[in-house]
Amino acid sequence: MAEGCMRSLRYGMVFFNLLFWLGGCGILGVGVWLSVTQGNFATLSSSLPSLSAANLLIAVGTIIMVIGCLGCVGAVKESRPLLLSFFILLLLIFFLEILSIMLFFVYQDQIDHYAQRDLKRGLQLFGTEGNVGLTNAWMIVQTDFRCCGVTNHTDWFEVYNASRVPDSCCLEYSDNCGLVNPGTWWTAPCYERVKDWIQQNLVALWIFALCTALTQILGLVFSMTMFCQAVKVETFYA
C-alpha cells in the first residue's frame, strides 16, 4: 500500500516538475530570442540598465529550470535531500513574492515617486552614445502608448534645452516633426498611460498571479507529501 502510494506520488511529482521544467525552458527560450533579435531594446531605467525584458525572462527561466530539474530528479530517485531542497527553494520564492506584493502596496507612493524620478533621469541619456537600447525603448513606448515624456511632454524640453520633443511624440511620424507646432505632439504622460494599461489588464494579471501561486502551492504539497512518505517507507523497512 505504501509502495503504491509512493509510486503514484512519484509519477505525479515527475509529471508536475517536467511541466515546470518545460515552462522554464520556454521562458528562457523567449528571453534568449528577445536578447538576440531585439538586443537594442533594453530598459527605460538609467539606474538599472540591465533590467530589460530579455534579461528578466532569462533569469526567471533559468531559476524555474533549476528548481524543476531538482524536483524531478528528487522524485525519480526518491531522494529526501533533493525533495527537501526543492520544497525549501519553492517556499522561499513563494514568501518572497508575497513580501514583494505587500511592500509594493505599502510603499506604492514612494515607488511611484522614485520610478518617475528615475525615468526622468533616464531621459537625459536619450540619443546619447552607448544608450541605443534606452533610446529605442522610449521611441517604442511613446509610439505604442501615444504619449510623450514621463509626466508631461515638457519633460523633453529640459533634455533638448529647447521646446522640442523626439519624433516618436508626433501624432503623425515624420523626420524632425518634434520641432514643429506642439499641437502635432502627443501630450498624454507615458507614466500614467502605462499605469492605465496595467489597470485595464488587472484582471488578467491577477489571474496569472493566482495560477502561479496555485502551481507553487501544488509543488509544495507534492514535494512535502512525497518527502513524508519517503521517511515513512524508510522507517518501515528500517
Side-chain angles (χ1 to χ4, degrees):
M1 183 72 178
E3 285 188 17
C5 182
M6 194 65 180
R7 191 180 299 112
S8 299
L9 280 171
R10 183 170 66 247
Y11 291 152
M13 186 74 174
V14 170
F15 179 73
F16 171 82
N17 281 285
L18 184 61
L19 292 178
F20 205 64
W21 184 80
L22 288 173
C25 288
I27 294 173
L28 178 63
V30 172
V32 172
W33 175 77
L34 279 176
S35 181
V36 173
T37 61
Q38 306 291 331
N40 289 333
F41 184 81
T43 174
L44 301 177
S45 173
S46 59
S47 59
L48 297 170
S50 298
L51 189 63
S52 64
N55 290 342
L56 281 175
L57 288 174
I58 290 172
V60 171
T62 302
I63 292 172
I64 291 175
M65 283 180 62
V66 170
I67 294 176
C69 185
L70 191 67
C72 198
V73 174
V76 171
K77 293 184 174 293
E78 297 181 14
S79 170
R80 288 186 299 165
L82 289 178
L83 287 170
L84 188 59
S85 298
F86 173 84
F87 177 84
I88 292 172
L89 283 173
L90 200 57
L91 185 64
L92 180 62
I93 291 173
F94 184 70
F95 279 137
L96 285 174
E97 290 171 348
I98 294 176
L99 181 62
S100 298
I101 293 172
M102 290 174 62
L103 288 174
F104 174 78
F105 283 110
V106 171
Y107 296 102
Q108 189 169 5
D109 291 338
Q110 292 90 324
I111 292 172
D112 272 345
H113 177 73
Y114 173 80
Q116 291 181 43
R117 186 180 62 185
D118 187 58
L119 288 170
K120 286 183 178 181
R121 193 183 301 124
L123 294 182
Q124 301 295 329
L125 302 176
F126 184 87
T128 58
E129 187 177 354
N131 290 290
V132 178
L134 184 142
T135 301
N136 287 348
W138 267 113
M139 291 176 67
I140 291 171
V141 167
Q142 292 185 143
T143 301
D144 290 352
F145 285 93
R146 298 182 176 184
C147 58
C148 191
V150 180
T151 57
N152 197 292
H153 69 281
T154 56
D155 293 337
W156 290 108
F157 295 178
E158 298 178 15
V159 177
Y160 290 109
N161 291 318
S163 298
R164 178 185 176 184
V165 297
D167 294 342
S168 55
C169 281
C170 298
L171 300 175
E172 294 184 8
Y173 181 86
S174 63
D175 290 338
N176 297 319
C177 61
L179 293 169
V180 192
N181 189 335
T184 63
W185 305 337
W186 300 115
T187 55
C190 289
Y191 192 81
E192 292 301 323
R193 283 278 192 173
V194 173
K195 285 184 67 176
D196 289 343
W197 179 85
I198 293 174
Q199 288 290 334
Q200 292 168 9
N201 294 275
L202 206 56
V203 174
L205 291 173
W206 276 115
I207 290 174
F208 174 77
L210 182 61
C211 290
T212 302
L214 289 175
T215 302
Q216 291 173 332
I217 291 171
L218 188 62
L220 290 170
V221 172
F222 263 124
S223 58
M224 184 47 66
T225 304
M226 191 170 183
F227 174 81
C228 293
Q229 284 295 327
V231 173
K232 287 183 181 178
V233 169
E234 187 172 321
T235 304
F236 180 79
Y237 285 105

